[in-house]
Amino acid sequence: MAKYIYSIGGGGIALVVFVITAFLTPVVNYNEEIKTMLTINTFLFAILAGFFISRSNSRYDNIREYLSTEDALWLSVYELSKTVGGNFQKKMRSLIDEYYVLCYDYEDQNYYKPTQKVFLQIYNIVNELYKKTFKTKGKRPADTSLSRIYVYLGGIEEVRNKTSVLLEEKVTNGKWVVLFLLSAIIIFSVYHLRTFAFYTQVIAVILSTTLVLVLLILRDLQNLRLGGEVIASESGQEVLETIGTGRYYSQYHIIMGEIPEDIGPYRLGLHRPGEKQKIKWIRRDSDSIGTQRFKTEHS
């Protein structure tokens, strides 16, 4: 898998390509039919691209909000687990960490189903302690931290479902084909209508580059990578730091060039999604300081 090229970088590459193209391609005679074709295709592209970007931007904002809410709820669950007991807190830390590892392993996919088993395990340990507590102490649900944990877990499941639905909403391949065809026709028309005047060359390059940039922005929105970073990724990493397990990145993050340069030691997943988990600690000088099969242990 090649390193991910964000919209700004892709726009820069497109600018160089179109500048070279402007110098290498000959200037042809003005054609009224080409002008008409350019007008129609530009109108169609503006409508379709504007609609898709608007929908994708709304989707992006909602997913970012849901992921941030989920991170806040998980942190609240962990903090409440401290009031329940040491063993319960250790189990909760381990399962929350395993949950986030799976989320980051499946970061380019819908993480709902891969994490469902771990999420239900968290519910199970809460249920077991709930039954044990009320059987021996006779407390009402409103009197304990477990009741609040149930509320937070319900909120997490709600945002998980909402996020899952939105993650499945993408621009289909057929729509991408239409956008690419319209873009190709527009770029061809713009270069065909150039004259020997220098400003027409400049306009052709700028318009063509802008067209590519619009498509790349739409792609970034769909891939949840607008602005050169993964959506809400840092928020989840801060949760891992707070619970004391350490940041986690998969090999996918390395390939995509998405590991920050200013962080300390982190965990690197050496496995593929769905395989038995194998994690190695990495120092910033890229030397390993330990390898372990995934099982978080803390005192």
Side-chain angles (χ1 to χ4, degrees), residues 128-140:
E128 291 174 2
L129 187 58
Y130 182 92
K131 294 176 182 178
K132 181 179 179 181
T133 300
F134 298 133
K135 182 177 180 180
T136 58
K137 299 183 180 181
K139 293 183 179 180
R140 294 178 300 169

Side-chain angles (χ1 to χ4, degrees), residues 70-71 74 96-104 236 239-240:
E70 183 178 345
D71 292 334
W74 276 123
I96 291 176
D97 187 58
E98 185 175 356
Y99 177 89
Y100 271 93
V101 167
L102 287 171
C103 287
Y104 285 120
V239 172
L240 294 177

Side-chain angles (χ1 to χ4, degrees), residues 34-45:
I34 296 294
K35 182 179 178 181
T36 302
M37 185 169 61
L38 174 63
T39 302
I40 295 174
N41 281 276
T42 302
F43 178 74
L44 292 175
F45 180 85

Side-chain angles (χ1 to χ4, degrees), residues 56-240:
S56 298
N57 188 65
S58 176
R59 168 181 176 267
Y60 178 89
D61 289 339
N62 287 331
I63 291 177
R64 180 173 59 183
E65 179 182 351
Y66 294 149
L67 291 177
S68 299
T69 300
E70 183 178 345
D71 292 334
L73 289 172
W74 276 123
L75 189 56
S76 297
V77 168
Y78 175 73
E79 291 299 323
L80 278 174
S81 71
K82 295 179 180 179
T83 66
V84 177
N87 290 332
F88 181 79
Q89 179 191 356
K90 289 180 181 180
K91 291 180 181 179
M92 191 63 71
R93 179 196 288 123
S94 178
L95 288 173
I96 291 176
D97 187 58
E98 185 175 356
Y99 177 89
Y100 271 93
V101 167
L102 287 171
C103 287
Y104 285 120
D105 281 346
Y106 290 90
E107 190 166 35
D108 60 332
Q109 306 171 41
N110 191 336
Y111 69 92
Y112 184 87
K113 288 184 178 179
T115 59
Q116 183 70 359
K117 182 178 179 181
V118 177
F119 185 74
L120 293 178
Q121 287 178 349
I122 294 175
Y123 254 119
N124 288 337
I125 67 170
V126 176
N127 288 335
E128 291 174 2
L129 187 58
Y130 182 92
K131 294 176 182 178
K132 181 179 179 181
T133 300
F134 298 133
K135 182 177 180 180
T136 58
K137 299 183 180 181
K139 293 183 179 180
R140 294 178 300 169
D143 297 330
T144 70
S145 297
L146 288 177
S147 304
R148 295 171 63 188
I149 290 178
Y150 273 121
V151 173
Y152 291 145
L153 289 178
I156 291 172
E157 180 61 15
E158 180 181 355
V159 295
R160 273 166 46 84
N161 276 278
K162 290 180 178 179
T163 303
S164 176
V165 172
L166 289 176
L167 286 173
E168 296 299 326
E169 294 182 5
K170 295 184 178 181
V171 179
T172 62
N173 292 334
K175 295 174 183 177
W176 276 115
V177 170
V178 172
L179 289 175
F180 286 145
L181 288 176
L182 290 174
S183 301
I185 294 173
I186 292 172
I187 292 173
F188 169 80
S189 301
V190 166
Y191 273 82
H192 191 87
L193 293 175
R194 290 176 302 150
T195 65
F196 289 101
F198 178 74
Y199 75 90
T200 63
Q201 308 283 353
V202 175
I203 291 175
V205 171
I206 293 176
L207 289 178
S208 301
T209 303
T210 302
L211 198 65
V212 173
L213 186 61
V214 169
L215 293 176
L216 291 175
I217 290 175
L218 177 57
R219 183 209 55 174
D220 283 355
L221 283 170
Q222 177 169 280
N223 294 335
L224 306 179
R225 282 173 165 78
L226 186 64
E229 59 183 23
V230 184
I231 184 172
S233 176
E234 186 64 20
S235 176
Q237 298 291 355
E238 289 174 355
V239 172
L240 294 177

